[in-house]
Amino acid sequence: MSERTPSPDEPRTVLLRGGEVHSPADPFATAMVVERGHVAWVGSEGAADSFADGVDEVVDLEGALVTPAFTDAHVHTTSTGLALTGLDLTDARTLPEALDRIRAHAAARPGDRVLLGHGWDASRWPEHRPPSRRELDEATGGRPLYLTRADVHSAVVTTALLDLVPHAAGLPGGSPDAPLTGDAHHAVRAAAYASITPAQRADAQAAALERAASLGIGSLHECAGPRISSADDLTGLLSLAAERPGPRVVGYWAEALTTAADASRVLELGALGAAGDLFVDGSLGSHTACLHEPYADGPHADHTGAAHMDAAAIAAHVTACTEAGIQAGFHAIGDAALTAVVEGVRAAADRLGLARVRAARHRVEHAEMLTPDHIAAFAELALTASVQPAFDAAWGGDEAMYAERLGVERARTLNPYAALLRAGVPLALGSDSPVTPLDPWGTVRAAAFHRTPEHRVSVRAAFTAHTRGGWRAIGRDDAGVLVPGAPADYAVWRTGELIVQVPDDRVASWSTDPRSGTPGLPDLTPGAPLPVCLRTVVGGHTVFTRPNE
């Protein structure tokens, strides 16, 4: 991609031309003008000639595609950065390979007070078991180690780390040798993260933001909270992001409120709402998502997971947030947890009025095990479903983790994106990174090629949910799309032919016929190469340029 040499400062007015601009303002657009951080014009190559002499910079796209920048609607930024810069077992194929990586990491980090790692998933290993405490003690040479499962809802630790938190073993979720869950996990996590210096934390956050920018992500929704990270972590991240040109970071603080006055704490931290990972339950992988019927492979025959909030507590939280004028939100995965959310939000609507609750745009993270009744209630209450299609790509299908935990029939009901869209439920897509990696086009592909065919949506619908949907989830209807007046948050991509890609004829089609002028998007058929980000721009400021382009 060639261009005129810009001035040292960010140019005030930019003309991009000679490519494909994905915009509902003009489905055949090849050019765009950006002025003072906003889109000023979108149109044809011929009309672009009239702007060429009056701009500060002309970018020759050389056939590249310009789209709105992605919004990842659920991220844990510091943990993402630590996985990027530290021990990441996401792609470890066996237990011995994981242990070898732990040994190498311990040898390479002799000065770390606590070793940190992430990403093991025993359901993918032939051994089908996590590392034992004895194996971890040997691999680390007896040093403290905190190692989270892929879903971050359980962790294995060494004896040395438990010695730093002696009360953890007696807390709910404690175990002599099995992975720690619940309160025991939260206690050791707090101790492990307390070992991170401010400099390490800032380096990790910067690494995560840089990775996001390199993938065409212009905005992140940081899901922080007292049971996940710390107030210092959130305020430090928001401060760091404010000092950089991008990506943008929107913060959520997952602390339950009982009165509107409690919202002052959330606002003081700079958070948009008391939302994100406010846990109603846990996760399927760790057997802690709260179910109406027992797990198929639970630790005992009647195991149905863990419930952290009931409908009354949810109603109190939604009421407090609505009265304070901020968003409420919850982490809810299992069907019983989602029932509690629906009942609680409806109770708040009965008290405050449905219109007032709908206007607040409260949100639910993950929302995996939805029933038709849940979906209808989400639509009625205007709840945004903040979902992660990569979960289905990783754990869906008839032979992976979902089926192991729930049985094949229940597993096939998970993540019903087509039904959500049919009902009019707002969708915002994200990664829950580091649970699954920052990977926006991969996320769109996972939604469009869901492992359960009836849950598939068009590439266009998934793309919209990963761009405009993230902005709508924070109450902004004027962004995430390239039209005049919108923020100039965009990415430039090297990609192949653009097409309109919809599910097969057996399911609802969420796009229109190509002849109607629907803007095309890259071919995301599994196995096809994903687009390569050449440049990411946030508010008119370039935050990433691919080297040698």
Side-chain angles (χ1 to χ4, degrees), residues 470-493:
W471 283 93
R472 286 172 166 168
I474 63 169
R476 291 281 301 273
D477 294 331
D478 61 335
V481 62
L482 300 180
V483 297
D489 289 23
Y490 63 89
V492 181
W493 307 91

Side-chain angles (χ1 to χ4, degrees), residues 22-25 67-73 219 221 361 363 384 426-429 444 460-484 486-487 489:
H22 185 86
S23 170
T67 71
F70 286 100
T71 292
D72 192 311
S219 299
H221 296 182
R361 302 194 190 191
R363 51 190 284 172
T384 295
L427 288 187
L429 303 193
V444 173
R460 178 188 177 205
F463 177 80
T464 299
H466 212 351
T467 50
R468 197 169 194 178
W471 283 93
R472 286 172 166 168
I474 63 169
R476 291 281 301 273
D477 294 331
D478 61 335
V481 62
L482 300 180
V483 297
D489 289 23

